[in-house]
Amino acid sequence: MEKKNLRIVFMGTPEFAVGSLQRLVENGYNVVAVVTQPDKPVGRHASVLRPSPVKEYALAHGLPVLQPLKMKDEHFLEQLRSYHADLQVVVAFRMLPEVVWAMPRFGTFNVHAALLPDYRGAAPINWAVINGETLTGVTTFFLDHDIDTGRIIAQRQFPIPDDADVEYVYDGLMQLGAQLCTDTVDLVLSTDGNAPSQPQQDSDAHHAAPKIFKETCAIDFSLTAKRIYDFVRGLSPAPGAWCMLTPRDANAPAQVLKIYKTAKTHESSAGGALVSSAPDHNAANTHDQPTGVEVGTLKAENRRLFVATVDEWLEILELQPAGKKRMAARDYLNGFQHPEHFLLK
């Protein structure tokens, strides 16, 4: 079978999935339909419906689009069957019921932004950066009953530089995933639907990658500078790590402050806040250690802004005060007097 004869249904929603769909379309693969999430209500009164990036691309290229509310809806299943897909390709979509993923004769494979079985879940890119990983990648695997557990078809590695944020890794994995997507389709074609695959090896050492919520993004300044540095870049530029700018005067209100970029100084925070003579850099919380400079303490030097962590001063480079735009810390300091009168919590 030639690739123009292989009938593919593509499933995906965000921009990350557009990279794979675009590569399939531009390289002459026969994408017969696209399945994506329903348009999302936006605006102050949720009165405007915004189509997904995948839908926008599909419509611009004349591809039929299906947007089911429920994947087991019989009308949707009838529509899906009508396309007689040989293969389904899933990229950043949702968990599929067996009646959907088992429908094509060659099965359904997923492009996942991690080296499975590590980082199963909804936010593998964020968690890899948050955890300070130096290597990640993409995996294609056949879907089965449990999320991200199917037989692995192929993997490609992607290095994470120490100064990379999520946007950098996201863009790199989107392109690498698109390449692996077409490579996997080619493998399915060349084996007449019998692409070799290997079962995943489960281990307690593997990391999870659960969905990220607002509460997940709160910065804990009782962690080490390295862990906070990784946490911030693992959430930058979106959804963004945040903390509370809290006046030492308890009568004044606290304000939300988002932090987008920091820099390690390797300068001891003077035994301050929760530092012992031999701090545990992997400890999540060390509130029983001797006190000194309080964690979250701010200081400004030469138009540079620093915050005390459990072990070192961390420089804040880019931030966003409540109700204002993202800005450099040096610009923020133009209107922020006496940072020593505040704590970050």
Side-chain angles (χ1 to χ4, degrees):
M1 180 185 291
E2 297 182 6
K3 65 182 181 181
K4 66 180 180 180
N5 297 321
L6 181 75
R7 298 177 64 83
I8 299 172
V9 168
F10 183 89
M11 300 183 180
T13 296
E15 180 187 5
F16 188 88
V18 174
S20 294
L21 177 58
Q22 180 178 1
R23 189 173 182 90
L24 288 168
V25 171
E26 293 184 354
N27 285 276
Y29 294 87
N30 185 23
V31 179
V32 295
V34 170
V35 182
T36 190
Q37 292 279 51
D39 295 356
K40 184 178 180 179
V42 296
R44 185 173 181 181
H45 302 290
S47 57
V48 177
L49 293 178
R50 177 181 296 168
S52 71
V54 162
K55 179 180 178 180
E56 290 182 331
Y57 181 88
L59 293 180
H61 292 80
L63 299 174
V65 175
L66 306 179
Q67 295 178 274
L69 288 173
K70 297 181 179 179
M71 299 301 292
K72 291 184 179 180
D73 177 78
E74 191 55 43
H75 177 65
F76 163 68
L77 294 175
E78 289 178 4
Q79 286 182 300
L80 192 59
R81 291 188 190 100
S82 72
Y83 289 102
H84 303 290
D86 300 303
L87 178 70
Q88 288 175 160
V89 177
V90 180
V91 185
F93 191 45
R94 58 195 287 189
M95 191 169 181
L96 303 180
E98 182 175 2
V99 67
V100 173
W101 57 256
M103 191 178 294
R105 61 181 180 134
F106 293 160
T108 300
F109 77 79
N110 183 285
V111 180
H112 185 74
L115 297 173
L116 291 174
D118 217 7
Y119 292 102
R120 292 171 177 161
I125 303 176
N126 296 95
W127 285 109
V129 181
I130 288 171
N131 290 334
E133 301 287 0
T134 58
L135 186 70
T136 185
V138 288
T139 301
T140 52
F141 67 96
F142 287 116
L143 266 64
D144 64 10
H145 293 93
D146 298 316
I147 189 167
D148 298 337
T149 61
R151 295 177 65 88
I152 292 175
I153 307 167
Q155 293 185 318
R156 299 287 187 275
Q157 295 183 342
F158 183 85
I160 305 177
D162 183 66
D163 61 350
D165 60 15
V166 160
E167 186 172 44
Y168 173 89
V169 183
Y170 184 100
D171 290 345
L173 292 183
M174 180 170 65
Q175 298 305 318
L176 187 62
Q179 174 67 61
L180 188 58
C181 175
T182 53
D183 288 350
T184 302
V185 174
D186 290 343
L187 182 61
V188 171
L189 276 168
S190 66
T191 59
D192 195 28
N194 295 301
S197 59
Q198 300 296 324
Q200 296 187 34
Q201 301 298 317
D202 286 332
S203 168
D204 292 338
H206 296 143
H207 302 89
K211 186 176 181 179
I212 289 177
F213 299 94
K214 179 181 178 181
E215 296 75 15
T216 314
C217 303
I219 303 171
D220 180 0
F221 288 98
S222 70
L223 300 177
T224 64
K226 171 65 165 65
R227 291 188 63 186
I228 297 172
Y229 170 81
D230 291 335
F231 186 80
V232 169
R233 66 193 182 98
L235 296 168
S236 181
W242 63 273
C243 56
M244 299 301 297
L245 179 66
T246 306
R248 292 183 183 272
D249 178 359
N251 295 322
Q255 298 180 2
V256 175
L257 191 70
K258 281 195 171 186
I259 298 180
Y260 291 98
K261 189 174 183 179
T262 64
K264 292 171 287 185
T265 67
H266 305 293
E267 177 188 346
S268 171
S269 47
L274 321 176
V275 175
S276 68
S277 58
D280 179 3
H281 291 268
N282 294 314
N285 197 313
T286 53
H287 288 287
D288 58 342
Q289 296 183 17
T291 60
V293 178
E294 190 173 0
V295 288
T297 294
L298 289 169
K299 71 174 182 178
E301 293 180 353
N302 301 319
R303 297 190 66 205
R304 297 167 66 188
L305 183 63
F306 302 87
V307 60
T309 73
V310 72
D311 61 346
E312 298 174 0
W313 289 97
L314 186 68
E315 183 174 5
I316 299 173
L317 298 177
E318 295 182 20
L319 48 78
Q320 183 178 9
K324 297 185 179 180
K325 295 181 179 180
R326 178 175 173 175
M327 65 182 71
R330 63 178 179 274
D331 296 327
Y332 177 65
L333 287 173
N334 290 335
F336 181 52
Q337 302 299 319
H338 304 295
E340 67 276 8
H341 294 170
F342 295 81
L343 284 173
L344 296 186
K345 293 185 177 180

